[in-house]
Amino acid sequence: MSAASNEMALSPQQALSGRRVRRISGFQSKAINESRCPRLNARLSQAIRIGTLNVGSLTGRSQEIIEMIGSRNIDVCCFQETKWKSEGVRLFSASEFKYKMFWAGQKSAQCGVAIVIKEELAKEVLEVKRYNARLMLIKIRLRNRLMTIVSAYAPQSGECKEVKDEFWSLMADVVQSVPMEESIVIGGDLNGHVGKTAEGFESVHGNFGIGERNIDGVRILEFAESLRLSVLNTFFKKSTEHLITYKSGNTSSQIDFLLARQAE
């Protein structure tokens, strides 16, 4: 496993333009808490909107993407496949929107994850951990509770078993490292299909997915089950169009997910 570097410190909407269509998969904490997670709402006493998005590359598109998430009033967004090298911090301004981005990459312009957060909320960032080009987190202080937000980019289906095992093992370590009295939300392109129905995973799947489950989707559900997480996207009934997070030609699927602890 890679060592972490430390720095102290929505329902899917309109598609991005371009050859590959990606949609934001997001949620508003207050809305979910009111209908599904009243305990978390009471603990946080602060509603924030969190999203996740595979950007396909930030190069030459950062302003466009920042403006897009700002127009949707998203407070924190997890990015995957940024294709930015190394690691760093950068401020962005697009129209009236201002965000701070923390990113983690590698020597080559491949993979890459990031977390962007509204400038005013960035003042509450207590910690940043970058594990590798597929996994990072930030810890923020809300009014009366700490929240860890993880950006994750799982290996694609064609990757070897060893690479996948390493990723999911590190993910499990990260989740287990967050104290139970704190909140955790994972936003990521997890490269698996969890399927339309719960079918054996009723404790983690809300029965509102799309398509057929595949072996990588089973792994997502088993991961969630073992750590008592819920796949939030599947708990809200929406039209098929609003469940799709990836579309290319005649192929469409849901591979971008938000996960949170069931206790919340």
Side-chain angles (χ1 to χ4, degrees), residues 13-235:
Q13 301 294 325
Q14 296 177 352
L16 283 172
S17 60
R19 182 173 59 84
R20 294 194 310 163
V21 177
R22 289 280 182 174
R23 299 175 182 274
I24 285 184
S25 175
F27 75 94
Q28 183 175 12
S29 289
K30 183 177 180 181
I32 285 182
N33 294 334
E34 288 175 348
S35 60
R36 301 282 181 177
C37 311
R39 283 179 289 181
L40 178 58
N41 187 46
R43 289 173 181 175
L44 294 181
S45 298
Q46 184 174 352
I48 62 171
R49 291 173 64 91
I50 302 176
T52 186
L53 176 67
N54 182 312
V55 296
S57 177
L58 272 178
T59 303
R61 305 176 64 219
S62 56
Q63 294 296 109
E64 169 198 358
I65 293 171
I66 292 297
E67 187 167 354
M68 181 188 68
I69 66 172
S71 68
R72 287 156 178 76
N73 197 29
I74 292 177
D75 297 296
V76 185
C77 194
C78 301
F79 288 169
Q80 299 84 42
E81 205 175 355
T82 61
K83 297 184 180 178
W84 276 21
K85 298 179 181 180
S86 189
E87 60 182 48
V89 182
R90 181 173 171 181
L91 289 172
F92 287 95
S93 293
S95 299
E96 72 271 28
F97 311 117
K98 293 184 178 181
Y99 285 85
K100 190 171 189 177
M101 183 176 83
F102 303 89
W103 80 87
Q106 56 190 21
K107 291 182 179 180
S108 61
Q110 295 178 327
C111 300
V113 288
I115 300 175
V116 293
I117 182 169
K118 278 186 176 177
E119 187 178 36
E120 61 268 27
L121 190 56
K123 299 172 184 176
E124 303 302 326
V125 173
L126 302 176
E127 184 178 20
V128 180
K129 286 188 177 181
R130 301 173 175 90
Y131 295 90
N132 53 41
R134 290 188 178 275
L135 193 64
M136 69 171 293
L137 65 80
I138 65 171
K139 188 185 294 286
I140 60 174
R141 177 177 48 230
L142 299 177
R143 287 177 185 167
N144 59 350
R145 192 167 173 83
L146 299 180
M147 173 180 277
T148 293
I149 300 171
V150 180
S151 182
Y153 182 33
Q156 294 179 323
S157 297
E159 286 282 6
C160 66
K161 181 179 182 297
E162 290 74 16
V163 171
K164 293 180 181 181
D165 288 348
E166 182 178 3
F167 171 83
W168 287 105
S169 178
L170 180 55
M171 273 270 283
D173 289 345
V174 169
V175 173
Q176 291 172 327
S177 73
V178 178
M180 291 302 296
E181 63 269 20
E182 298 179 12
S183 298
I184 180 170
V185 174
I186 301 169
D189 179 345
L190 300 184
N191 274 311
H193 304 153
V194 299
K196 185 175 182 179
T197 62
E199 195 178 357
F201 291 94
E202 287 77 9
S203 64
V204 301
H205 190 302
N207 222 37
F208 295 115
I210 60 171
E212 298 295 325
R213 184 177 302 164
N214 65 7
I215 189 169
D216 292 305
V218 171
R219 186 154 201 174
I220 294 169
L221 295 170
E222 288 178 342
F223 170 81
E225 189 175 57
S226 68
L227 294 168
R228 301 186 66 187
L229 303 170
S230 293
V231 183
L232 299 180
N233 313 52
T234 65
F235 281 86

Side-chain angles (χ1 to χ4, degrees), residues 10-12 26 208 210 233 236-243:
L10 338 159
S11 60
F208 295 115
I210 60 171
N233 313 52
F236 301 92
K237 187 175 183 179
K238 297 182 181 296
S239 66
T240 299
E241 179 67 14
H242 286 169
L243 290 172

Side-chain angles (χ1 to χ4, degrees), residues 2 68 180 217 246 248:
S2 302
M68 181 188 68
M180 291 302 296
Y246 173 78
S248 178

